[in-house]
Amino acid sequence: MEVGAVGDLRRIKNAIGVARVVMEKTKHTFLVGESASVFAENMGFTAEDLTTNTSLDTFKNWLNNKCQPNYRKNVSPDSSASCGPYKPGAISQKKRKVEHLDISSHDTIGMIVINSTGSIAAGTSTNGANHKVPGRVGDSPIAGAGAYADSTAGGAAATGDGDVMMRFLPSYLAVELMRVGVDPSAACKKAVTRIKQHVPDFFGAVICANTTGGYGAACNKAPGFTTFSFMVYNLQSSEPVERKVDCI
């Protein structure tokens, strides 16, 4: 029941390492923005320019494509045809087209680990959604959303459209289900199904592990996303083994 998190971290490559230092070296839970970056530098993390030729090309192409996608709505000028700057606009009465998160732009890594004494830890690290509004923080650093662990019940981690998933705390829900004896696979499915009831075509997946080392995963079927692969490494295998589940 210890947590450390950072969000909107810049210049520091090892974000999850900084999150651990927040947990171990402060009485806080969550640091964000420039202050989190300065904290990391003070704690000995290397500050560096994380820009690459690929990221620069991606940004230039985005600008040339009228800044699409940009995740804005109800602003002026029209965010679907302009790069702004934006001001508040009238709330549109037209049904907004459902925009799916590009799964190829996703880089979240989630892990659940059980040590030899039975302690369970879970964590996530991500660069977030491409072209997000500056300052946006997704589900990854939110305890209970991106990941959750309780050594008396199990651990879970999530990936996908964080702006949707963080509203439902899927990792927390999955762990609480395992606490009352629900199988890890079933717990993951229930967590995904709960979101699906409200947002049928969201992009996302959850992995789960209980206190005995049982594990499972579930994903929601979306365009271009029908199966979900994850890796398992335990005493029954000499090396990590890829597992795959069909999305529901």
Side-chain angles (χ1 to χ4, degrees), residues 6 9 12 14 17-26 31 35-47:
V6 290
L9 190 72
I12 309 297
N14 183 14
V18 182
R20 181 167 184 165
V21 172
V22 171
M23 180 178 70
E24 294 180 342
K25 303 298 182 182
T26 80
L31 299 181
S35 295
S37 300
V38 172
F39 169 81
E41 293 177 42
N42 291 340
M43 290 294 104
F45 289 85
T46 301

Side-chain angles (χ1 to χ4, degrees), residues 3 160 232 240 248:
V3 179
V232 177
I248 56 177

Side-chain angles (χ1 to χ4, degrees), residues 9-18 40 45-50 52 125-127:
L9 190 72
R10 298 172 183 267
R11 303 188 302 277
I12 309 297
K13 186 176 291 184
N14 183 14
I16 200 166
V18 182
F45 289 85
T46 301
E48 56 187 308
D49 184 358
L50 301 181
T52 65
S125 185
T126 186
N127 194 49

Side-chain angles (χ1 to χ4, degrees), residues 7-137:
D8 193 19
L9 190 72
R10 298 172 183 267
R11 303 188 302 277
I12 309 297
K13 186 176 291 184
N14 183 14
I16 200 166
V18 182
R20 181 167 184 165
V21 172
V22 171
M23 180 178 70
E24 294 180 342
K25 303 298 182 182
T26 80
K27 295 181 180 180
H28 298 312
T29 296
F30 200 169
L31 299 181
V32 298
E34 178 62 18
S35 295
S37 300
V38 172
F39 169 81
E41 293 177 42
N42 291 340
M43 290 294 104
F45 289 85
T46 301
E48 56 187 308
D49 184 358
L50 301 181
T51 303
T52 65
N53 290 333
T54 298
S55 66
L56 277 176
D57 288 341
T58 299
F59 181 62
K60 290 176 182 177
N61 291 335
W62 180 70
L63 289 176
N64 292 333
N65 191 38
K66 298 181 180 178
C67 300
Q68 302 302 306
N70 60 31
Y71 300 99
R72 312 255 185 180
K73 64 179 183 180
N74 301 324
V75 295
S76 179
D78 183 357
S79 62
S80 67
S82 170
C83 290
Y86 305 104
K87 296 181 179 180
I91 297 177
S92 174
Q93 299 301 317
K94 292 191 300 183
K95 189 172 183 180
R96 188 177 177 85
K97 180 183 176 182
V98 175
E99 297 179 357
H100 298 285
L101 187 70
D102 181 1
I103 63 174
S104 66
S105 70
H106 212 257
D107 64 356
T108 303
I109 297 173
M111 296 184 72
I112 308 164
V113 181
I114 307 174
N115 72 4
S116 58
T117 64
S119 293
I120 301 176
T124 56
S125 185
T126 186
N127 194 49
N130 281 4
H131 315 308
K132 56 186 174 283
V133 176
R136 178 262 191 188
V137 174

Side-chain angles (χ1 to χ4, degrees), residues 19 114 189 231:
I114 307 174
K189 288 180 181 178
M231 306 299 292

